Every structure is written in C-alpha cells, then in structure tokens.
Amino acid sequence: MSTISSRCKPPRVGDAPWVRQSLIGFVLIIGAFLVVAPLLVIAVEAFSQGVKAYAATINHPDTRHAIMLTVITALIAVPINTLFGVAAAWAITKFDFWGKRFLLVIVEIPFSISPIVAGVAYLFVYGLQGLFGPLLDAYEIKILFALPGIVIASMFVTAPFVARELIPLMQAQGRDLEEAATSLGASGWRTFFSVTLPNIKWALLYGVVLCNARVMGEFGAVSIVSGNIRGQTNTLPLHIELLYHDYQAAGAFASASILAALAVITIIAKVALERRGAGRGRKKLSAANAIATETIS
C-alpha cells in the first residue's frame, strides 16, 4: 500500500538531480560574488600596508572616537528598542483594543521609509528652523549634530527588529498560558516574567542581535542628523566614508574590517540562536508527544 501511495505521489520541484545541482550552484555563485568576495577584499585591503599600518589606523584618535560613539549609540538605542519591541509585541498579540492595526502599521513604518528621508524629517522637527527647533534652542538643548540626534535616528531605523521577531511567535503561542496564569492569581508582571518571557527569549535575543548590528552599521539617517563632524559626531560608518574620500583607502578598509567582523559575529550568533531555539522546540514537542502517548496508553 505504501509503495502504491509513494508511486502516486506527485514529484516535488527539484527532485531531479540536475535541478538540485543547478539551484545549489546558482545560490553558491551569487553568494560568492555578493557576500564572500566583498568580505575577502575588505580583509586583504585592510592589511595591504602591513599590520603596523592597520594598528595605527585603529588606534588613531578619530577612529577610536568613532568606535566609541558607535558603541555608546548601540548601548542606548538597543535596550530602548528592545523594551519597545517587547511592549509592542505584547500589546498586539495579547490584547484586543481599538487602534491595534494602527499600532502594527507604526511598527512597520521604518521598514518602508528610506533612512535618509527619516534623517531629513528629523531636521524639520528638531532643526533650528524645525518644529521644535526654536524651543530647544531657547533652552540650549542640542538634539541634532550631537549624540541625541544620532541615537534617535538609529532608534527609528531599528525600531521594528525586535517586534518583528516576537509578533509572529507570540501570535502562534496564543494567550492560553497567560490567561491560565492570570486565572491562578498571578499579576501581570509575574505572568510576563514567569510565562511569556521564557517562551520568547530566543526570538528576543535574535531580534536584539539584529538590532545591534543594524545600529552599528547605520549610515543614511545618521549621516543627515550628525553633521559629519570629524572626531565629534562621526560614527564608524561615517568615519569610513571620510577616510575613503580623503584617499586613505587602506585606513577605510581597516575601519571597515571592524564592521565586517561584526557582521560575521552577527551571522554566527544568528545561527547559534536559531539552532538553540529549534532544539528547545524539538524538546518541547518530544515531551508533549511523550505525555500524549502516556495519556492514550
């Protein structure tokens, strides 16, 4: 019977060996040209003038300040966006309220707007000729061309990352566990930390990793609101552009190697989190099957 059903089963796309080999070869070739080749060029050009020149570029005051500013921006923007993403995902998936779709649209907006457009918009909001510019200037509060503007622009660009990872997972999980905990007398915070957070922690960490990588690599919006002041408001991507325009190609590649290393670390962390999360999912599924088998028997 199984032989007959297997013969009647329609063939899948890619069952033919030549189709599988062609698809795999096509993906490998495109990946080599678009991903591997640029990374190799960065690594080679970064050390083209020797290790001493590479170390001198990394230890230059402007480079060290750009790295420090990038790290500070990430340390501020990533936790805030993490809290925003968790709150937005929790509100959208666990509650029914008027404006739910509107909140989901707000979360998605940064994905549909160019970062440069967002940076220009902030100029018209916080600039001297902007909506709040005169008020901020009267109280000597500086947003643009300073750290606050860089952080705000980075937060806008990376706002959806955590929420986009959590919303599908929390929708699939449903509300049964939270409602059961609430019915047993658990408070909202107790329910979140004891029930919700353990079930979303791997997706949350995945979203945080992606958010951090994007913050450190953001160029468009930050280039508008920072003013590109060398040694003051230049993040690492902006510093790389300045070095390149100054015909310091080796220095630009040396600085770019830091971001390339960050990209590789992000990929490794992404794969590790996916495997860890998949492993936990398989363990839970096996445990559920075991319980179901014992119940039936």
Side-chain angles (χ1 to χ4, degrees), residues 33-210:
F33 279 101
L34 295 182
V35 180
V36 178
L39 291 177
L40 289 177
V41 169
I42 291 174
V44 171
E45 293 295 332
F47 293 95
S48 61
Q49 297 183 2
V51 177
K52 290 185 178 180
Y54 178 88
T57 300
I58 300 301
N59 290 323
H60 192 278
D62 290 345
T63 304
R64 285 190 282 110
H65 184 275
I67 295 174
M68 181 184 67
L69 184 60
T70 303
V71 172
I72 292 175
T73 302
L75 290 176
I76 298 174
V78 173
I80 295 176
N81 273 345
T82 300
L83 294 175
F84 168 77
V86 172
W90 198 11
I92 290 172
T93 59
K94 304 301 181 182
F95 303 101
D96 293 320
F97 56 93
W98 184 87
K100 186 175 180 177
R101 287 184 173 273
F102 180 68
L103 178 58
L104 188 59
V105 170
I106 291 178
V107 172
E108 298 283 347
I109 282 178
F111 276 153
S112 59
I113 295 180
S114 169
I116 295 180
V117 174
V120 172
Y122 282 125
L123 287 179
F124 287 99
V125 175
Y126 299 109
L128 289 178
Q129 307 299 324
L131 182 61
F132 300 114
L135 179 63
L136 294 173
D137 185 59
Y139 288 96
E140 297 183 354
I141 300 175
K142 194 170 184 180
I143 300 294
L144 297 183
F145 312 132
L147 178 61
I150 297 173
V151 172
I152 291 174
S154 300
M155 286 174 55
F156 175 86
V157 173
T158 59
F161 280 90
V162 174
R164 282 291 298 270
E165 295 300 322
L166 294 180
I167 290 175
L169 175 63
M170 296 175 74
Q171 284 177 335
Q173 290 176 348
R175 312 177 188 178
D176 294 342
L177 294 177
E178 284 81 5
E179 290 176 353
T182 303
S183 65
L184 293 174
S187 64
W189 289 113
R190 179 69 181 275
T191 300
F192 174 76
F193 285 108
S194 300
V195 179
T196 305
L197 187 59
N199 291 328
I200 65 171
K201 61 181 180 180
W202 298 116
L204 176 61
L205 289 174
Y206 182 34
V208 170
V209 168
L210 295 179

Side-chain angles (χ1 to χ4, degrees), residues 37 108 112 152 154 212-213 217 221 233 248 258 277 293:
E108 298 283 347
S112 59
I152 291 174
S154 300
N212 180 73
T233 63
Q248 300 180 31
I258 299 175
T293 302

